[in-house]
Structures are given as structure tokens and as C-alpha cells.
Amino acid sequence: MTTKQQPLNSGFGATTTAREALGNTRLDGTVAIVTGGYAGIGLETTRTLHAAGATVIVPARTPDKARAALAGLERVELEPMDLFDPASIDAFASRFVASGRPLHLLINNAGIMASPLTRDARGFESQFATNHLGHFQLTARLWPALKQANGARVVCLSSRGHFFAGVDFEDPFFQQRPYDKWVAYGQSKTANILFAVGLDARGEAHGVRAFAVHPGGILTDLARHMSEEEVRASVENSNKIEPLKTVDQGAATTVWCATSPQLAGKGGVYCENVDIAVMAPADATIRRGVKDWAVDPKRADQLWSASEAWTGVRFNP
């Protein structure tokens, strides 16, 4: 059953915090993986899930930074992994699957934004390779553990930045067209949503549901590639839509999608402000809701097939 892309009137909103979104839900016995779970909204997500009793595995590209951020948190396990390195993803996932544990929650949170043009060893543009293809490969490799959970959720962090661009299937890696860091970012964020749509369609029969999330406008280390002038302009533009959020407000929609009973039996939708988002009108001038190109099942299938070809990784539902 396809979940409608329309608000549930959840009772929450833009100022809801992650702890408020979780409510009284307990997660004892739940196993979660949070990529980028040691900084910004990822760290707040880790802390919130941990406080509710979950065991949280945090794969980290910079283990020393992660170790300092996560110090003192029992049941939080740190593992090395770099989303820009396919071999690193395979090694991490293999270790987890070999542990025999089910995976109840996979939070695909890590990402980069507006970075200069760089390419991975395959020649793939870095924002698309990190934000989408790395998480596509990780989810595929963890698929046996997700199925084993008999009721797993996957949350893919996207952004209202998906308004900047759909996926250009003709030249996704900027080999012909001029590189634009914001178009590249927008394309990768659209891909995050399309991946959730495609994953939910394939996972529902196995008890695996997927959601895409816009956390809100938040000042974190994600802006490290931006100049002071760009950050200032971005804040001004964001405030025209809604006030900037705190980190604990920014993690709220992620936590809600991962745990809320309001979403039981639902999936494949884009969420913001702790509710399912509205569809954005075709002529929208304010970046609120979700563009139709990001939730189109046909485009989701096209991206799925292309991602399998690009990565050489196939899902085996």
C-alpha cells in the first residue's frame, strides 16, 4: 500500500525536540546504526536513541573525533567506515552482519554539502558518491540484518536543498556539464528521497519501511565548505521559510520517523517538522514540502537500477 504524501497532523511541529518526538517510547533491545552519529544532529540522534535504551553503532570516518564526542555513553559502539570508500563500507557491513544481530534502525544521516569538485576512485562526484551511493551500498550490504529485525525502519536524511535539482541521469557526475556545487548537492538530496521511495517499495514485504527527512535549517559543521558570506545568505534565506532550529529540534523528525507508532504500516514518504510533508506546488517559490520529481516511483526505479550499475552492488530481497 502506498502511503499518501500528506500530513498526518501528528501534533508536533517545527520546535519539537528529539526527546519530545520520542515521547515515552522505550528502545531496550533495539539495535541502531547512525552514520555520522558523532556530530551535529547525528550526535543528538545517537544520544536520544541511547537514552531510550537502544544499542547504537556509529560508523565513523574520523574515529578520534567520534571517540571524544561519544565518551561515557554505554551501549554506543564505534566502528571505522568512510562512505567515500566502497571497500570500507563493505568491511563495516560484513563485520556487523557477521555479528548475527538484527538491525532495527538504520539512520543514513551522514553527508557533505556544497563541497568543491572532487571525485572518488571511480570518477564519481563526491556529494553524490557520499550522500547517495555510499548509503545505497551500505543499506544493500546490511539488508540481511534489516530483514532479520522483522520490523525495521531506514531513515534517509535529505534536505529542502532537493529543490535545487532533480537527478540528471544523462550526466550525474558532471563530466560534461559545468560543476555547480549547489546543483550537485540538490541532486544528491533528491537521490536520498528517491532511494527511500524505492527502498520502501522493495522492503515492505520484508517488514522494512523507509522514510526521507528534512531536518530543518540548522547551523552545523555541514556548512564547513561555505564562506562566511554564503552562510549569512543561507541563514537569511532559511529564516524566510522558518526560524533556524537547534540541534535537538533538528534531530526530531529523524527520531520520529525511526520510532513513532504514528507511522506504523507507513513508508516511502518525505517528512519535515515531525510530520509527513505536503507536496510542493509546481510553481512554488518557497522551499516547503517535497517536489514531485523526488517522490516519483518511476524515477526511483530508474535511480535504483542506475545505482546498482554504478556501485556493482545488487539488493537481494
Side-chain angles (χ1 to χ4, degrees):
M1 293 291 291
T2 302
T3 303
K4 290 183 179 180
Q5 184 66 53
Q6 62 184 36
L8 297 176
N9 298 315
S10 66
F12 300 115
T15 60
T16 299
T17 66
R19 303 295 172 101
E20 289 167 346
L22 182 71
N24 295 321
T25 300
R26 291 296 304 172
L27 300 174
D28 305 278
T30 297
V31 180
I33 291 175
V34 183
T35 68
Y38 56 98
I41 60 175
L43 176 56
E44 186 63 26
T45 300
T46 296
R47 286 172 171 162
T48 303
L49 298 178
H50 167 266
T55 295
V56 185
I57 297 92
V58 178
R61 184 172 56 86
T62 51
D64 289 344
K65 179 180 176 181
R67 197 170 292 111
L70 300 169
L73 293 179
E74 296 180 5
R75 301 186 323 280
V76 173
E77 304 170 15
L78 181 61
E79 288 276 349
M81 191 192 79
D82 184 349
L83 285 166
F84 202 52
D85 178 0
S88 168
I89 296 169
D90 282 352
F92 165 76
S94 293
R95 290 193 301 272
F96 182 83
V97 172
S99 75
R101 291 184 288 183
L103 178 58
H104 304 92
L105 304 175
L106 172 58
I107 315 296
N108 289 329
N109 166 86
I112 57 175
M113 180 176 74
S115 55
L117 177 59
T118 51
R119 301 186 184 277
D120 68 8
R122 302 166 292 191
F124 298 160
E125 184 274 322
S126 63
Q127 295 190 75
F128 197 83
T130 301
N131 297 349
H132 169 59
L133 292 177
H135 283 120
F136 179 89
Q137 179 173 340
L138 176 65
T139 308
R141 297 306 195 202
L142 292 170
W143 187 242
L146 287 165
K147 287 197 297 184
Q148 186 184 337
N150 293 316
R153 291 190 189 181
V154 180
V155 181
C156 303
L157 270 285
S158 181
S159 166
R160 69 164 69 106
H162 80 274
F163 274 68
F164 296 150
V167 176
D168 185 335
F169 290 100
E170 298 299 316
D171 186 20
F173 306 122
F174 296 86
Q175 287 156 332
Q176 278 83 45
R177 56 182 171 148
Y179 180 69
D180 181 308
K181 63 185 181 182
W182 289 111
V183 170
Y185 178 67
Q187 175 180 249
S188 74
K189 294 293 101 178
T190 291
N192 291 148
I193 305 171
L194 289 172
F195 177 48
V197 172
L199 180 61
D200 190 73
R202 290 159 177 79
E204 182 178 2
H206 305 281
V208 181
R209 305 309 302 259
F211 303 87
V213 163
H214 167 53
I218 307 138
L219 275 179
T220 69
D221 190 45
L222 191 64
R224 63 186 174 275
H225 294 296
M226 297 166 63
S227 67
E228 287 185 19
E229 186 177 331
E230 285 178 313
V231 170
R232 199 159 43 243
S234 178
V235 169
E236 287 177 6
N237 289 332
S238 183
N239 280 331
K240 290 175 184 176
I241 303 169
E242 65 184 23
L244 285 181
K245 294 188 178 188
T246 62
V247 171
D248 57 347
Q249 291 168 345
T253 307
T254 297
V255 169
W256 182 72
C257 284
T259 65
S260 177
Q262 292 178 303
L263 291 170
K266 295 178 171 58
V269 288
Y270 173 87
C271 301
E272 62 185 2
N273 290 333
V274 201
D275 205 340
I276 298 175
V278 299
M279 288 296 303
D283 59 352
T285 56
I286 295 178
R287 298 194 301 274
R288 185 178 289 119
V290 63
K291 295 293 285 187
D292 59 356
W293 65 55
V295 290
D296 180 350
K298 290 183 179 178
R299 285 191 175 118
D301 287 342
Q302 185 179 3
L303 179 65
W304 193 279
S305 298
S307 299
E308 288 189 330
W310 290 325
T311 61
V313 175
R314 296 186 66 84
F315 271 77
N316 295 301

